[in-house]
Amino acid sequence: MARSRIAVRGNLRSPSVSVAHLVLLLCVFRVADVYAESGYDAWLRYPRIDGAVRDRYASIPRRLMLAGDSPVLRTARDETVRGLSSLLGEPAVPITSRGSGSVIIMGLLDRIRMLVDDPGVPTQLRADGFWIGRVVTREGPALIVAGQNDRGVLYGAFALLRRIAAHADIAQLNEREEPAAPVRWINHWDNLDGTIERGYAGRSIFFDSGRVVDDLTRVRDYARLLASVGINGLTINNVNANAQVISDAFLPQLARVADTLRPWGIALSVSIDFSSPMRIGGLDTFDPLDARVISFWKGRVDAIYKAVPDLGGFVLKADSEGRLGPSAYGRTHADAANVIARALAPHNGAIFYRGFVYDHLMDWRNQKNDRARAAYDNFRKLDGQFDANVILQIKHGPIDFQVREPASPLFGALQKTNQAIELQITQEYLGQQRHVCFIVPMWKRVLDFDMQAKGTGTQVKSLVSGRVFGRRTGGFVGVSNVGRDTNWLGHDLAMSNLYGFGRLAWNPDLQSRQIADEWTKLTFSDTPQVVDTIAGMLLESWPTYENYTGPLGAGTLTDIIGVHYGPGIESSERNGWGQWHRSNGTGIGMDRTVATGTGFISQYSPAVAAVYESLTSTPDDLLLFFHHVPYTYKLRSGKTVIQHIYDSHYEGAQNAAGFVERWRRLEKFIDPERHASVLAKLEYQAGHAIVWRDAVNSWFQWISGVPDAMGRIGRSPGRVEAESMTLERFSTGAVIPWETASGAQAAICSAGGTCAARHRYQGTAGIYDIAVQYFVESDGAARYALSVGSRQVESWVADAQFGSNTPNGHTSTRRTAHRVTLAPGDEIRVEVSTMPPDGGAVDYIEIVPSDR
Ligand code: GCV
């Protein structure tokens, strides 16, 4: 059901409301109205609570008083006014003096303790922590939101609103929360020209044409979303950094962004280019031990802090994927990190040094080479050499955000170095926000994994927070890459990942189900059918995606050297990128054992290494990450590896199709805009899951020579290859890689104009769904039409952007016409009208009895 619009009621004119706050409230209502259900407000919609549920909140004071003053405290107050007014449908009012009656008092814990003498109020809290509770004072009852610092108060305010918006019982409010770790940062891979590396939701909200955008409204609203889940740092530019970002000309622009983030308790940070001393400093070197370079960094950092006194620090990618680094001068990563750390230290800034360092030109013929070893091999030996304000930022797995990886061994190997785990919210290898993939359960698997770094009880989440080895700082970094799409990430359901990242960074002990439920209630509604369906789908979405892409730890099996989206099984092999799965005629998987393989497993603690070294104790879902096995190797399920690959792909694609039907059933509970938008994405996903299924299965049946026990591969009922249809102006061409087209070929309308493919239906009369599998090229638009006899049953324009302009696994797309009446002898005709260079191409049609 669409969210009800908020009525501005008569009592808003109460004399206790100042003109300024009347304006604020009207703005709040207007903003809520304009963006209603576009996805813009994400989980901060604050829809009005009606009926019996509203009675639960009758005791919430409507008057709000700040104990203290600062930009962040004012944000906390204004957000609470906004949220309560909207949720409860009547204005909450800021007041400056207590008076009698019930009141919400918000402020620093120390201040609150001076005002309120109640044993329930805690005596201390950790940084950024808060306490929310009820007390009774001489003047009347009070609801207290107390923070250890200003940010803590803001987080307490959001926590209070979250509870109310999720319709939680707050009768016995007495909640103390403290974050698991001090670092809860977001990174962006935005380029100064406004493009985003691995961004799938439009252009940058920060940059355009080489500068910071003029209108920072989106940045402010993004900061609000981030603050609501406890994020306290934001790096706005790509780790493949442009040195200009710290040039003098850029500093005033950075200051504008910092000013926008500051009221939300978020520190600005930027990614830097290690060769900056040469690029923008006029030096002929960037050797970290050269005195001129040391002085360059000091001067630059001092200048930046003049413009942005509360800058959080820098992120640095060095000696990785072609970025320059200390190796140019035979220096170590510690030399590189420390020269910048020493410039930052007087300003309390930190440098996040990325552990993602590997050789992308590795010799693939050498069976002992292994990219997974790189992070540990590069950094383990430097433990103890980094300054106290260096934080090593380590990707969660040893490769690169694949659909399933073990925890990086580096987490357990550093005792004296601060560390932060890098998690990827933008779905680079996980369907790029065209597929639903809730990543929280995957992150949980790593965060909860016990590295046994100091006996048991050393889960990754405790290591990165610094607790295990008593380090002062550390935590969580998420690469989010939101863009200018109204709903931030392009897919409404993908926002569960941004939310989930923040919630886990605050409290990694939360369960995936809890996060999925909470997000669904806040984003859609708490109607049980809605929560069960959406949370259920979210929780199944990662295993589903894994099933139809790369199961058993083999890697995502996507096109490694292209856009990392559709299937491209062989792309990982025979090149230096090192994402090898080493499939051959007899077996599959990387042998990373100590006994016969690359020795990667020795990087884990002995207890963990013992589990992975043995074929029998390695969990099946990571089997091919650690071992090379024959296709006929039997899994715990009793199935062979090859049959598991076939079956999981059929199961995954079937489950993706099920998502469409499950979502359809929510139509009456969800606003039409978001229902339609998510439905279209799920329908697309179901079609693309079939592309994945068929590509992976055909390729493995070919390479292994082992047939599917159920005989499904290459025999889809009702499928008619385009190349076997009667073609007008189409030519038949090979698709590369071959496995991404059914029968390895497509009918291609290369000359432009209108091309047609005809098929005379000879089956039984009935009602059918007719799917057209075609390729969308990114260099223009093509118009498609599907007709039966003289009836046009479907027409559409293919103009999506998949980052590729040829027929392949990225661009293969399905469009289905439902409930089409067919009789023997009917002519089915697919017509495509193109404008060169965009050539339409058709893979096949599939005619199956309709189940709608
Ligand atoms: C920003 C992967 C991505 C790159 C990314 C890199 C990194 O290789 O494909 O786009 O670069 O990781 O994390 O530095």
Side-chain angles (χ1 to χ4, degrees):
M1 201 169 59
R3 169 182 164 191
S4 55
R5 301 231 153 159
I6 300 157
V8 178
R9 296 184 157 195
N11 56 2
L12 201 65
R13 281 183 234 109
S14 131
S16 57
V17 183
S18 71
V19 172
H21 279 98
L22 183 60
V23 171
L24 170 73
L25 287 170
L26 288 172
C27 285
V28 165
F29 291 140
R30 201 189 63 78
V31 169
D33 227 22
V34 168
Y35 292 119
E37 310 312 357
S38 60
Y40 189 80
D41 287 326
W43 54 85
L44 294 180
R45 296 157 57 242
Y46 300 141
R48 179 178 161 141
I49 302 172
D50 286 312
V53 181
R54 192 162 175 276
D55 297 343
R56 265 182 223 163
Y57 308 110
S59 68
I60 296 263
R62 304 301 198 261
R63 298 183 318 136
L64 247 115
M65 192 180 92
L66 271 189
D69 187 35
S70 77
V72 175
L73 288 181
R74 272 174 261 142
T75 305
R77 177 198 62 200
D78 293 348
E79 185 69 26
T80 312
V81 165
R82 173 180 182 165
L84 288 182
S85 305
S86 181
L87 285 162
L88 303 177
E90 60 182 277
V93 183
I95 55 169
T96 46
S97 64
R98 170 78 167 86
S100 60
S102 69
V103 68
I104 298 177
I105 307 177
M106 315 179 99
L108 297 187
L109 183 64
D110 294 348
R111 248 332 249 286
I112 295 280
R113 287 180 56 80
M114 284 193 273
L115 293 176
V116 176
D117 179 21
D118 188 295
V121 182
T123 49
Q124 53 185 1
L125 289 165
R126 276 211 303 272
D128 292 356
F130 63 82
W131 178 77
I132 323 175
R134 294 177 191 273
V135 297
V136 179
T137 67
R138 251 175 310 158
E139 295 87 353
L143 194 160
I144 305 291
V145 179
Q148 186 273 346
N149 52 15
D150 290 356
R151 275 203 301 259
V153 180
L154 180 60
Y155 299 151
F158 275 118
L160 175 67
L161 292 169
R162 180 160 61 232
R163 280 162 186 66
I164 300 172
H167 300 182
D169 188 358
I170 58 162
Q172 306 301 323
L173 208 51
N174 177 6
E175 300 231 8
R176 174 194 182 128
E177 283 202 34
E178 290 163 316
V183 170
R184 304 179 304 279
W185 282 33
I186 289 287
N187 280 185
H188 267 251
W189 291 349
D190 295 25
N191 299 311
L192 306 193
D193 65 2
T195 57
I196 306 181
E197 184 162 345
R198 315 300 176 192
Y200 310 107
R203 288 171 63 78
S204 171
I205 62 169
F206 301 105
F207 304 108
D208 211 350
S209 313
R211 30 193 333 274
V212 167
V213 294
D214 291 332
D215 180 358
L216 292 172
T217 310
R218 292 274 317 227
V219 174
R220 180 203 63 198
D221 294 345
Y222 182 45
R224 173 173 171 254
L225 287 174
L226 298 182
S228 76
V229 286
I231 300 300
N232 58 5
L234 178 62
T235 312
I236 58 175
N237 65 310
N238 195 349
V239 288
N240 293 325
N242 183 328
Q244 293 304 325
V245 79
I246 54 166
S247 65
D248 277 335
F250 224 89
L251 300 188
Q253 301 179 52
L254 293 183
R256 287 180 50 236
V257 180
D259 291 347
T260 310
L261 302 179
R262 192 170 296 114
W264 300 95
I266 297 177
L268 174 75
S269 126
V270 287
S271 299
I272 51 168
D273 178 344
F274 192 64
S275 64
S276 295
M278 263 168 83
R279 286 193 203 272
I280 59 166
L283 299 181
D284 57 3
T285 179
F286 56 93
D287 178 351
L289 301 192
D290 186 300
R292 292 165 301 156
V293 170
I294 295 171
S295 133
F296 165 85
W297 283 115
K298 185 171 172 351
R300 243 347 44 219
V301 168
D302 289 347
I304 296 170
Y305 274 89
K306 270 211 182 90
V308 183
D310 53 356
L311 186 90
F314 295 145
V315 179
L316 175 57
K317 171 176 177 179
D319 278 332
S320 165
E321 298 186 330
R323 303 293 302 175
L324 292 171
S327 69
Y329 301 94
R331 309 299 185 202
T332 69
H333 295 294
D335 295 332
N338 292 343
V339 65
I340 300 166
R342 284 166 200 166
L344 288 164
H347 305 281
N348 294 321
I351 173 153
F352 288 69
Y353 198 93
R354 293 183 85 232
F356 185 63
V357 175
Y358 71 101
D359 173 10
H360 68 280
L361 301 170
M362 237 181 327
D363 181 3
W364 56 270
R365 292 173 212 84
N366 183 341
Q367 299 288 317
K368 297 288 177 189
N369 276 348
D370 187 359
R371 170 171 164 183
R373 296 187 58 111
Y376 180 105
D377 284 348
N378 280 303
F379 290 97
R380 168 73 182 82
K381 56 185 183 245
L382 299 174
D383 193 23
Q385 296 183 32
F386 291 100
D387 282 10
N389 59 335
V390 178
I391 298 170
L392 202 59
Q393 184 169 315
I394 305 167
K395 289 196 183 189
H396 81 258
I399 299 284
D400 191 7
F401 304 132
Q402 298 301 288
V403 70
R404 192 181 291 261
E405 292 185 44
S408 169
L410 193 53
F411 294 122
L414 300 171
Q415 303 203 354
K416 300 180 190 125
T417 308
N418 301 314
Q419 42 177 278
I421 187 169
E422 181 177 309
L423 302 171
Q424 198 185 39
I425 297 160
T426 188
Q427 294 171 227
E428 176 180 356
Y429 285 96
L430 300 177
Q432 305 191 349
Q433 284 116 260
R434 298 183 188 103
H435 293 230
V436 58
C437 186
F438 181 53
I439 321 172
V440 167
M442 177 171 116
W443 295 334
K444 284 287 289 177
R445 284 289 288 262
V446 169
L447 291 170
D448 292 347
F449 185 77
D450 191 346
M451 302 297 294
Q452 308 210 37
K454 192 178 149 195
T456 54
T458 60
Q459 287 93 347
V460 170
K461 59 189 173 192
S462 322
L463 287 161
V464 298
S465 68
R467 279 204 300 279
V468 174
F469 292 109
R471 293 189 302 256
R472 219 172 34 84
T473 190
F476 302 79
V477 177
V479 180
S480 109
N481 295 358
V482 305
R484 283 188 217 170
D485 279 9
T486 307
N487 64 4
W488 303 97
L489 279 172
H491 193 316
D492 288 299
L493 300 186
M495 288 298 274
S496 58
N497 290 322
L498 182 59
Y499 182 83
F501 169 79
R503 298 291 287 133
L504 282 182
W506 181 269
N507 179 5
D509 294 333
L510 290 174
Q511 297 304 308
S512 303
R513 173 89 219 187
Q514 209 176 332
I515 294 174
D517 280 0
E518 194 178 275
W519 176 81
T520 305
K521 285 180 188 168
L522 298 173
T523 304
F524 291 102
S525 95
D526 71 343
T527 305
Q529 191 174 338
V530 172
V531 178
D532 289 350
T533 305
I534 298 181
M537 280 170 49
L538 289 178
L539 293 170
E540 284 170 43
S541 60
W542 168 50
T544 297
Y545 186 78
E546 179 181 40
N547 275 344
Y548 62 75
T549 57
L552 303 174
T556 303
L557 302 183
T558 188
D559 176 10
I560 294 303
I561 44 188
V563 289
H564 302 177
Y565 178 57
I569 295 103
E570 257 174 288
S571 64
S572 53
E573 307 308 298
R574 292 176 293 284
N575 60 50
W577 289 98
Q579 292 186 220
W580 310 313
H581 48 78
R582 301 259 192 232
S583 304
N584 55 29
T586 54
I588 174 172
M590 273 290 288
D591 181 357
R592 294 189 158 110
T593 61
V594 177
T596 55
T598 68
F600 164 76
I601 290 173
S602 69
Q603 298 183 341
Y604 291 96
S605 62
V608 173
V611 172
Y612 291 147
E613 180 74 11
S614 147
L615 198 50
T616 48
S617 54
T618 301
D620 280 352
D621 54 21
L622 281 170
L623 184 77
L624 305 179
F625 192 91
F626 290 110
H627 299 278
H628 184 86
V629 295
Y631 291 113
T632 48
Y633 178 80
K634 281 231 169 101
L635 300 168
R636 291 185 173 80
S637 62
K639 274 186 196 173
T640 60
V641 163
I642 192 72
Q643 195 56 42
H644 177 94
I645 292 176
Y646 299 151
D647 290 350
S648 63
H649 282 78
Y650 281 98
E651 277 160 30
Q654 198 177 353
N655 215 31
F659 288 165
V660 175
E661 297 316 314
R662 287 152 80 177
W663 184 260
R664 275 186 178 285
R665 291 198 282 272
L666 296 183
E667 191 172 359
K668 64 175 185 287
F669 301 110
I670 290 178
D671 52 283
E673 299 88 354
R674 288 184 301 167
H675 189 268
S677 153
V678 171
L679 181 61
K681 292 233 163 41
L682 294 174
E683 280 174 339
Y684 165 78
Q685 176 181 359
H688 202 229
I690 292 171
V691 176
W692 268 101
R693 176 196 77 190
D694 292 352
V696 174
N697 282 350
S698 306
W699 193 87
F700 278 101
Q701 183 163 269
W702 163 75
I703 191 106
S704 69
V706 181
D708 169 29
M710 295 171 72
R712 295 160 292 189
I713 301 169
R715 291 201 204 125
S716 297
R719 189 174 289 192
V720 182
E721 297 294 339
E723 53 274 21
S724 70
M725 294 166 76
T726 307
L727 301 180
E728 291 166 19
R729 300 193 73 252
F730 269 119
S731 53
T732 299
V735 170
I736 298 168
W738 66 266
E739 71 272 16
T740 58
S742 188
Q745 289 191 320
I748 301 171
C749 187
S750 47
T754 299
C755 302
R758 291 183 282 116
H759 167 70
R760 180 103 21 221
Y761 176 70
Q762 299 297 1
T764 49
I767 298 184
Y768 292 86
D769 291 343
I770 307 178
V772 179
Q773 194 72 35
Y774 65 104
F775 298 91
V776 183
E777 302 183 7
S778 61
D779 44 11
R783 177 173 291 282
Y784 282 80
L786 173 69
S787 312
V788 175
S790 56
R791 266 180 304 142
Q792 189 176 91
V793 294
E794 194 82 5
S795 73
W796 67 97
V797 173
D799 60 355
Q801 302 290 320
F802 295 110
S804 171
N805 58 8
T806 49
N808 56 32
H810 311 303
T811 56
S812 184
T813 306
R814 176 175 279 234
R815 176 82 175 208
T816 305
H818 293 280
R819 300 195 54 77
V820 179
T821 305
L822 285 179
D826 279 347
E827 182 182 83
I828 299 174
R829 179 182 168 93
V830 181
E831 202 173 86
V832 53
S833 305
T834 71
M835 290 283 283
D838 193 70
V842 178
D843 190 359
Y844 60 82
I845 61 170
E846 207 166 87
I847 307 159
V848 294
S850 182
D851 55 6
R852 286 221 178 131

